[in-house]
Amino acid sequence: MSSPQDIWAPHLAAGERIVWSASVSAKLVAADRLRQRGIAIAIFIPSAIVAALLAVVFMGAIAPTPMINPNAMLAPVYFAFAAAIGVLAISQLFKLARPRQPDAAHYAATPARLIALNADGAIASEIPAAEIGDVMAGGSRPDLVVLRRDEDSQAAAFPIRFIERPLEAKAIIEETFPSPPPPDAALVSTPP
């Protein structure tokens, strides 16, 4: 097994050192896949049943009868709902076949930036120290999201997902990249 330095060495500038690193936990990824599959199945089964029932109602509405069928006017509505719910059910099958994969496999912090590597060892994303703002923990795992200081920035936040001990990572990142004081704090003066 290679050391963390071997993974990061090609991506570090001269003199740049790693202050924190973590790899994606296979156990957490497997648990997330199981959760994704459970949700997909929970949506697929009732959607398929409702789509089938609406298709039966649609067929009954357009079936020829000796008398005028009052449901014939609602046939397009039945068809539209059956098709929409059928598409929802089919989309869940795709989620079962291809669950989402993590975007990154490894994360690291240096005094100059945060870096994420994909499974191939290429840089998936990075955020320079000057742009690092608040670090938020949330979700069921929890995941971390590093926000940018410039709230008007169109650049995406930096997600850190599927790592063991995310709250420890949050503390290290906040210590390495302290938030600047709010602009109003400089204007407040203490009385003599």
Side-chain angles (χ1 to χ4, degrees):
M1 182 173 147
S2 61
S3 72
Q5 293 298 331
D6 294 339
I7 296 169
W8 297 103
H11 305 289
L12 298 177
E16 192 174 21
R17 64 179 171 76
I18 293 177
V19 294
W20 167 81
S21 70
S23 294
V24 168
S25 168
K27 181 180 80 173
L28 292 175
V29 171
D32 187 63
R33 284 186 185 145
L34 182 63
R35 183 186 62 79
Q36 287 179 45
R37 287 187 174 123
I39 291 171
I41 290 169
I43 293 173
F44 171 74
I45 291 172
S47 297
I49 292 169
V50 170
L53 291 174
L54 284 171
V56 168
V57 172
F58 167 72
M59 296 303 286
I62 63 168
T65 59
M67 297 178 57
I68 297 176
N69 186 352
N71 286 336
M73 291 184 357
L74 296 175
V77 174
Y78 296 143
F79 177 77
F81 280 118
I85 294 174
V87 168
L88 175 65
I90 291 170
S91 71
Q92 299 310 307
L93 289 178
F94 287 109
K95 286 184 180 180
L96 281 172
R98 286 190 186 167
R100 281 184 312 192
Q101 299 294 327
D103 296 331
H106 308 282
Y107 300 98
T110 71
R113 60 189 169 148
L114 285 174
I115 313 167
L117 297 182
N118 62 20
D120 299 328
I123 292 180
S125 63
E126 64 182 312
I127 180 171
E131 294 182 22
I132 295 173
D134 292 329
V135 181
M136 297 177 55
S140 60
R141 280 180 286 285
D143 289 331
L144 299 178
V145 176
V146 180
L147 302 176
R148 298 196 182 256
R149 283 191 182 158
D150 181 11
E151 294 175 0
D152 297 330
S153 173
Q154 296 299 318
F158 187 89
I160 300 174
R161 302 187 68 215
F162 305 113
I163 63 169
E164 299 284 342
R165 300 189 310 269
L167 298 178
E168 179 182 309
K170 179 181 186 298
I172 292 170
I173 292 169
E174 288 175 337
E175 182 180 313
T176 304
F177 307 104
S179 296
D184 297 342
L187 299 176
V188 177
S189 62
T190 57

